[in-house]
Amino acid sequence: MKKILFTILILFTLFSSIGFAVTIYPLVNRLNVEANQRTIELTINVANNSPSIADVDVEISDFVIEGSKYLYDIPNYAFSIKDWITVESTHLILQPGQSIDYPIKINIPSGFKGAQAFGAIHFKQKGKQSEVFETIFDYISLIILDFPTVKNIKAQIQDVSIYDLTTTASKTLIDKYGNFGTVIDINVKNNGNAVLALNGEMRLISREINRIITSIPLNSNNFVVFPDRANNFEFFIPYVLPKGDFEIQMDGISQNVRVTAFKKLKIEGKSSDRVAVMIDPEIILINVKRTIENSKITIQNLSPLSTEFGLSTISKAINILPGKIRLSPYSKINGFVKFDSRLEKLKDGDNVFKINIDSKNEISFFKNPKIVLRYGNLEPNIGSFITDVATNTFALNVENTGNTIVTFKVIRTEKLQSNDLTNEIILFPGEIKKVFLEIPYNEIIKNSTFIMYKIYGETDYKYKKNIGDVRK
């Protein structure tokens, strides 16, 4: 039978839970190149911490970051050092407990004009093999060279696509983001000689109404474009945009270099008549300890249409002020929620009240804002069970059986670290949420996979519970 090769890529990880224990250090080699320097020598420490012999092959490759992915095969990439690297051996046999300093030599060509260049060294440990499977673990050490050349980072916005979730967006985008708001897809090329890793903002300006609709923060951890490369970035904003002339402006700092770019565009088609408002915070949490309690909120119009409305709940003890709200396009006002405990008897825990919009016109909420009155003794508790077990996935169903809102996440602990398997998830009392985990169920060891949870609004995860049993 033909062998099937499974290569398991381990980036920035020093340990494998199934018996592989090769470690490399450092994981990132960032080196300054001096003027007229033509050769650089460095070493990477490779150690075998297992009781068995480690069979390791060494490979040299390119590397770039594209979105959240690392790419290691970019043919003819002008900023790659793959062809500059020489090594003494590409095959290592490490005895149990053996540690070596693996030498690497980099020969820099005289004609290179960039400010940065990149490469990767792969240490591929051969594992168990049978007639069907061969397992290889790929440990990677990155090499970044900084040259004494002025960094010239030129961002170019090549293309922008606007998708209105109320009218023109695909079902895929609606399933991902909901049926109100806008998705912006922007393609950015780096025409400079160094990595664009931008800390700044992207502004969306309507020339029709002459105002900034929104400003989107850009973070160097995820807004990255390598030199002579182009990446697509997708952003969701909770606004319906007016038609007409627009301008996208991008501004920020990358590697101490000021970077700006802009692009003009026109949004055409039929304007949406959907009106929605947003209340911030979405969960208005009030700890009831006095007769009268107040909490500040912000109320914003998310559409290009003016609107007028009031806000209320089923409780006569709750007033949302101002009583009558008038908002021009995209404007916001400050308000507050007032609760009079003399007019409402609360039960212990979190008392949850839905907010209603009172208006002659059709207005909807962005998401589902709620007022939560927290009172008396809090009893946080959850339960869970497993369903939908398939080959490489299963569903964890988590139920809030307590009397207070909780925030939970699923973690898996291993010998040297804990890994979050989910993001933070909010769960109201009596609510059940299904979380799909894309790992085989039979690889989950119950006493090493937990649900960590805390009372909503608190900082620390104080509570832990094992995952439940499988249900049909």
Side-chain angles (χ1 to χ4, degrees):
M1 185 181 294
K2 186 177 180 180
K3 281 188 180 178
I4 303 172
L5 176 65
F6 282 91
T7 300
I8 304 172
L9 176 65
I10 300 182
L11 269 176
F12 309 133
T13 303
L14 300 182
F15 183 80
S16 164
S17 62
I18 62 172
F20 294 84
V22 166
T23 63
I24 60 173
Y25 182 84
L27 296 172
V28 178
N29 306 267
R30 185 160 187 169
L31 307 171
N32 290 317
V33 181
E34 297 178 1
N36 301 318
Q37 186 177 8
R38 289 291 168 260
T39 302
I40 293 178
E41 295 181 356
L42 69 147
T43 60
I44 298 173
N45 183 266
V46 186
N48 176 18
N49 298 314
S50 75
S52 305
I53 294 174
D55 190 341
V56 178
D57 286 327
V58 181
E59 294 182 6
I60 303 166
S61 77
D62 312 301
F63 106 87
V64 302
I65 299 173
E66 189 168 280
S68 60
K69 299 181 296 184
Y70 283 70
L71 304 182
Y72 297 99
D73 185 14
I74 310 96
N76 303 314
Y77 184 48
F79 293 85
S80 173
I81 62 173
K82 174 182 176 180
D83 296 331
W84 305 357
I85 296 175
T86 57
V87 295
E88 293 181 357
S89 174
T90 58
H91 187 211
L92 305 176
I93 300 294
L94 298 178
Q95 299 299 318
Q98 185 180 6
S99 174
I100 66 168
D101 287 329
Y102 182 76
I104 296 169
K105 186 176 181 180
I106 304 172
N107 298 301
I108 303 168
S110 58
F112 183 71
K113 302 298 183 182
Q116 289 179 310
F118 320 93
I121 310 294
H122 301 251
F123 296 88
K124 296 188 174 183
Q125 182 187 6
K126 297 179 181 179
K128 297 178 181 178
Q129 66 181 53
S130 66
E131 290 298 317
V132 180
F133 300 111
E134 179 181 0
T135 306
I136 295 177
F137 276 69
D138 188 358
Y139 303 85
I140 299 169
S141 184
L142 304 180
I143 300 176
I144 303 172
L145 300 185
D146 287 300
F147 289 83
T149 304
V150 174
K151 288 185 173 68
N152 183 9
I153 303 174
K154 295 181 179 179
Q156 177 190 2
I157 301 174
Q158 296 194 123
D159 192 24
V160 179
S161 297
I162 306 290
Y163 303 99
D164 186 338
L165 292 167
T166 68
T167 56
T168 61
S170 65
K171 184 178 183 301
T172 301
L173 288 177
I174 293 173
D175 290 342
K176 184 176 180 180
Y177 295 108
N179 62 358
F180 189 90
T182 302
V183 176
I184 300 173
D185 188 278
I186 180 171
N187 181 274
V188 178
K189 185 177 181 182
N190 180 0
N191 293 314
N193 61 11
V195 171
L196 168 65
L198 197 64
N199 285 305
E201 64 178 357
M202 184 174 70
R203 294 181 291 273
L204 182 60
I205 303 170
S206 170
R207 294 305 179 191
E208 295 297 315
I209 61 176
N210 197 29
R211 67 177 298 162
I212 298 174
I213 302 299
T214 188
S215 175
I216 303 171
L218 302 178
N219 188 288
S220 60
N221 291 328
N222 47 41
F223 198 88
V224 178
V225 187
F226 269 49
D228 203 28
R229 301 281 294 180
N231 289 350
N232 274 76
F233 300 93
E234 184 177 279
F235 301 96
F236 167 76
I237 57 175
Y239 304 94
V240 171
L241 302 179
K243 306 306 176 183
D245 294 328
F246 271 80
E247 187 172 306
I248 298 279
Q249 295 180 353
M250 195 170 67
D251 179 68
I253 299 294
S254 175
Q255 301 195 73
N256 297 317
V257 177
R258 170 68 66 179
V259 178
T260 60
F262 75 94
K263 187 174 183 64
K264 294 180 179 180
L265 65 147
K266 182 183 288 290
I267 299 179
E268 299 178 325
K270 183 180 177 181
S271 296
S272 172
D273 57 0
R274 288 280 302 277
V275 177
V277 296
M278 179 170 64
I279 294 180
D280 184 33
E282 181 185 342
I283 297 176
I284 306 162
L285 179 62
I286 301 176
N287 286 291
V288 179
K289 297 180 180 179
R290 301 174 299 182
T291 304
I292 304 294
E293 295 285 2
N294 295 305
S295 181
K296 294 180 180 180
I297 59 174
T298 300
I299 308 163
Q300 183 173 13
N301 183 1
L302 302 178
S303 78
L305 303 174
S306 296
T307 186
E308 184 176 319
F309 58 94
L311 300 173
S312 65
T313 72
I314 62 171
S315 173
K316 294 181 179 179
I318 299 174
N319 279 330
I320 305 175
L321 301 172
K324 183 171 286 188
I325 300 167
R326 295 181 180 89
L327 291 175
S328 58
Y330 309 111
S331 64
K332 66 175 67 174
I333 63 169
N334 294 322
F336 68 94
V337 176
K338 177 183 177 182
F339 172 70
D340 188 339
S341 62
R342 295 169 297 186
L343 303 177
E344 181 89 31
K345 185 176 181 180
L346 299 175
K347 62 184 180 181
D348 281 356
D350 287 342
N351 299 259
V352 182
F353 294 88
K354 177 185 175 182
I355 301 175
N356 303 310
I357 294 181
D358 308 314
S359 175
K360 296 179 181 179
N361 302 314
E362 185 177 347
I363 304 173
S364 57
F365 272 125
F366 178 71
K367 297 188 177 179
N368 297 298
K370 295 179 176 64
I371 296 171
V372 177
L373 303 177
R374 180 165 287 175
Y375 176 78
N377 295 319
L378 304 182
E379 298 176 354
N381 194 41
I382 63 171
S384 70
F385 57 93
I386 302 297
T387 60
D388 304 279
V389 177
T391 303
N392 291 308
T393 185
F394 65 93
L396 174 63
N397 302 264
V398 184
E399 180 180 9
N400 186 344
T401 57
N403 68 358
T404 182
I405 304 171
V406 299
T407 303
F408 76 90
K409 62 181 179 179
V410 184
I411 69 165
R412 185 176 185 180
T413 60
E414 303 191 77
K415 292 184 179 180
L416 295 183
Q417 61 185 357
S418 294
N419 297 315
D420 291 352
L421 300 183
T422 66
N423 296 322
E424 292 188 340
I425 301 171
I426 296 173
L427 200 62
F428 283 79
E431 186 179 18
I432 298 177
K433 284 188 177 178
K434 179 183 287 189
V435 180
F436 283 93
L437 301 177
E438 295 183 352
I439 46 177
Y441 176 69
N442 58 12
E443 290 186 9
I444 293 291
I445 303 171
K446 288 189 178 181
N447 62 4
S448 68
T449 304
F450 305 99
I451 303 170
M452 300 294 299
Y453 65 103
K454 63 183 178 180
I455 295 173
Y456 175 80
E458 295 187 351
T459 303
D460 299 327
Y461 281 88
K462 298 179 181 178
Y463 310 100
K464 180 171 72 173
K465 184 158 287 188
N466 291 341
I467 63 173
D469 296 323
V470 177
R471 292 186 188 178
K472 297 293 186 181

